[in-house]
Amino acid sequence: MCSAQTVFSLLITFVATTQVSGISPYSRLGLGDLNNQTSSAYSGFGGENASLSDYNQINLSNPATFSGFTKHLPIFELDFASQFLTLETASSESSSINATKFSRMALAFPINKNLGISAGLLPFTTTRYDITSENTITNIGKVNYIFEGNGGL
């Protein structure tokens, strides 16, 4: 039987190797596209989740809710987000792109009756772009400009 440490290590490796960042060409500007900082369970509330408390969900917007965790019951959350995008150029050429990316991973557990603790990974921004531009320069001919980037905070 696998130990919890082995399973956690394999999961971290899986998340690290399958990470796909954002797909917006505007992510090359500044720090990139901002990620949603709420869990998928609270996303339907429009970001107004600070006052919500649930014994089996981690609310990182309000750490005071950690005191309501069920005794001896650790909570593990792994969230992914999908993005579907249609890009159109000035000449009405369009292309559709979709991607699924790692959104967050969190582990929380109660310490005692009124205290809980949480740790995890929560990417702040994502950056991924692959833009090719073609230009014709006198005495040289066609020149391709390629802009590529990937990463985030």
Side-chain angles (χ1 to χ4, degrees), residues 58-124:
I58 304 170
N59 185 351
L60 296 177
S61 299
N62 186 0
T65 62
F66 296 176
S67 64
F69 292 154
T70 303
K71 188 176 181 180
H72 305 298
L73 181 66
I75 302 169
F76 179 74
E77 291 184 358
L78 184 63
D79 289 347
F80 292 89
S82 293
Q83 185 178 13
F84 304 94
L85 186 64
T86 300
L87 301 172
E88 188 171 320
T89 64
S91 62
S92 297
E93 296 176 22
S94 68
S95 69
S96 296
I97 306 168
N98 60 49
T100 300
K101 63 182 178 179
F102 167 74
S103 182
R104 80 178 195 153
M105 180 178 63
L107 176 66
F109 51 92
I111 301 295
N112 61 31
K113 182 180 176 184
N114 296 317
L115 182 65
I117 191 167
S118 172
L121 300 172
L122 181 65
F124 186 68

Side-chain angles (χ1 to χ4, degrees), residues 17-59:
T17 58
T18 60
Q19 175 65 33
V20 176
S21 297
I23 56 176
S24 171
Y26 298 108
S27 70
R28 75 185 187 111
L29 305 173
L31 296 175
D33 293 331
L34 294 176
N35 289 331
N36 185 1
Q37 299 297 310
T38 61
S39 73
S40 57
Y42 292 120
S43 291
F45 295 102
E48 299 297 327
N49 62 341
S51 63
L52 299 174
S53 179
D54 193 349
Y55 69 93
N56 64 353
Q57 293 177 351
I58 304 170
N59 185 351

